[in-house]
Amino acid sequence: MTAPLKTRVLKADAATVAEAARVLASGGLVAFPTETVYGLGADATDGRAVARLYAAKGRPAFNPLIAHVVDMKAAQMLARFNPKAAQLAKAFWPGPLTLVLPKAAKCRVADLATAGLDTIAVRVPNHHVARDILAALGRPVVAPSANRSGHVSPTRAEHVQADLAGRIDLIVDGGATPVGVESTIVACLKEPVLLRPGGLPRAAIENVIEQKLAYAPSPTHGADQAPLAPGMLASHYAPRTRLRLNARRVEEGEVLLAFGTPLAEGARSAEKMLNLSARGDLIEAAANLFSHLRALDAAGGRAIAVMPIPADGLGEAINDRLTRAAAPR
Ligand code: TXA
Ligand code: MG
């Protein structure tokens, strides 16, 4: 982050809800209470706002985020529900249950928010402040727990303030969160799988679907740099085309993922070139990362040459993700 922000703390009331929606709509970061823990929200459809959110949390990696929506209708704009997923949503939404589902074709959530995955985590929170903000904004809001990376999840506005003052725009103080632990996460891609135990007990879920839930901890949950377990549900997005990192020149037949200027030698003869940020802005680069990778992957080059990217700020997470994508599979 650059200059510290002035972080306002406002008591949750109708005027504050309207202000929260206004700040979110203009790309700002707002912490607000949900029934589980306080979330740090950004407009899910705004890649730059999402990039700023990762920077504010100080996450060394881009973990996929949960998209919060106001109701089932809004959820269906983002994700596809199989019958079991629909059953769970009907039984437990609004409430402390997050469903990981296949992304809908019409989903407008930024690629960075889902870390480039074809799946998306969705939840309908059961807290009047969260719901009022979502309704006022009329768009999905991504919200990880509103703590600095590696710290515990906040259940009061004061916890958020201690961790994030100077790094976010607004904290909506709605008192202590009633549940106090994060939502339970269930993937419904084929058979339902428990990814994270949380505020909704496993037994309640098993009662509704009338079957036992397998438990597969998400590799991106918990420790921010949990090891990548191949084949697991949240396994990372990886392009099919080979990546060549820290490229200072473009080889024959390669496409180029550029950063800043001057461009790598031979950039003009690249089959295709996309610049993460021509002016060398790491927030802009993060917002473009996954969509540029996808577009270059589709261009059919021999390899994707990637120019060096500085390791400061969001550069650490960008390099982390590029290194994973470049690892031999
Ligand atoms: O209660 C909660 O869920 C809180 C409140 C604010 O809603 N949010 C929260 O978010 O705990 P966060 O970012 O701290 O945890 C989200 C978890 C991460 O472990 C992430 O890996 C997982 O959800 N996740 C998100 N998208 C996923 C996906 N497509 N596949 C698998 N796991 C996913
Ligand atoms: Mg968290």
Side-chain angles (χ1 to χ4, degrees):
M1 297 288 283
T2 41
L5 291 169
K6 168 102 183 68
T7 303
R8 288 177 297 156
V9 184
L10 299 174
K11 288 274 173 228
D13 59 22
T16 298
V17 163
E19 177 62 4
R22 196 194 60 75
V23 172
L24 288 168
S26 59
L29 302 178
V30 177
F32 60 87
T34 77
E35 79 279 35
T36 58
V37 299
Y38 273 75
L40 176 58
D43 177 348
T45 66
D46 179 345
R48 293 189 54 115
V50 177
R52 291 186 60 224
L53 190 157
Y54 285 106
K57 277 201 60 118
R59 271 193 182 175
F62 297 125
N63 292 340
L65 303 173
I66 299 171
H68 297 67
V69 290
V70 74
D71 58 20
M72 182 63 173
K73 189 155 163 271
Q76 283 169 327
M77 303 293 286
L78 309 184
R80 299 202 308 272
F81 288 74
N82 65 24
K84 290 220 167 97
Q87 220 180 343
L88 288 174
K90 188 161 191 288
F92 298 116
W93 280 355
L97 172 67
T98 294
L99 294 174
V100 171
L101 304 168
K103 219 175 183 179
K106 63 191 165 198
C107 176
R108 291 199 303 120
V109 168
D111 281 331
L112 182 61
T114 54
L117 296 171
D118 295 323
T119 58
I120 185 166
V122 187
R123 104 175 181 91
V124 178
N126 186 18
H127 191 290
H128 66 99
V129 175
R131 297 176 61 73
D132 289 350
I133 292 172
L134 290 168
L137 181 66
R139 278 182 232 156
V141 168
V142 281
S145 48
N147 50 280
R148 287 283 279 277
S149 180
H151 295 190
V152 296
S153 294
T155 55
R156 300 179 160 281
E158 300 82 70
H159 303 163
V160 182
Q161 211 174 346
D163 252 25
L164 294 174
R167 303 173 76 90
I168 66 177
D169 298 288
L170 176 62
I171 299 170
V172 179
D173 183 354
T177 59
V179 174
V181 296
E182 294 92 339
S183 61
T184 302
I185 305 182
V186 175
C188 290
L189 302 175
K190 293 185 184 107
E191 285 306 304
V193 174
L194 180 64
L195 294 183
R196 176 177 78 181
L200 180 67
R202 164 204 282 270
I205 297 168
E206 291 177 339
N207 269 337
V208 166
I209 53 175
E210 298 180 323
Q211 71 183 79
K212 291 275 173 213
L213 271 181
Y215 179 35
S218 160
T220 54
H221 167 250
D224 273 318
Q225 285 168 308
L228 174 57
M232 288 190 75
L233 277 155
S235 68
H236 298 288
Y237 164 72
R240 280 158 303 153
T241 314
R242 191 170 61 85
L243 256 67
R244 193 166 66 79
L245 303 184
N246 297 313
R248 299 190 185 270
R249 51 163 300 160
V250 183
E251 308 289 348
E252 176 82 35
E254 286 185 334
V255 295
L256 176 64
L257 184 63
F259 177 81
T261 51
L263 294 173
E265 208 181 306
R268 281 169 185 282
S269 55
E271 301 285 314
K272 183 180 173 84
M273 179 193 71
L274 291 172
N275 201 327
L276 288 169
S277 170
R279 57 193 164 89
D281 171 3
L282 288 164
I283 300 261
E284 181 177 45
N288 287 328
L289 179 65
F290 291 103
S291 48
H292 281 14
L293 272 178
R294 271 179 195 269
L296 289 173
D297 194 19
R302 224 170 38 80
I304 303 173
V306 183
M307 281 176 59
I309 293 163
D312 54 304
L314 278 184
E316 187 184 2
I318 295 172
N319 280 303
D320 166 82
R321 187 42 51 102
L322 287 169
T323 305
R324 289 172 194 273
R329 288 181 290 281

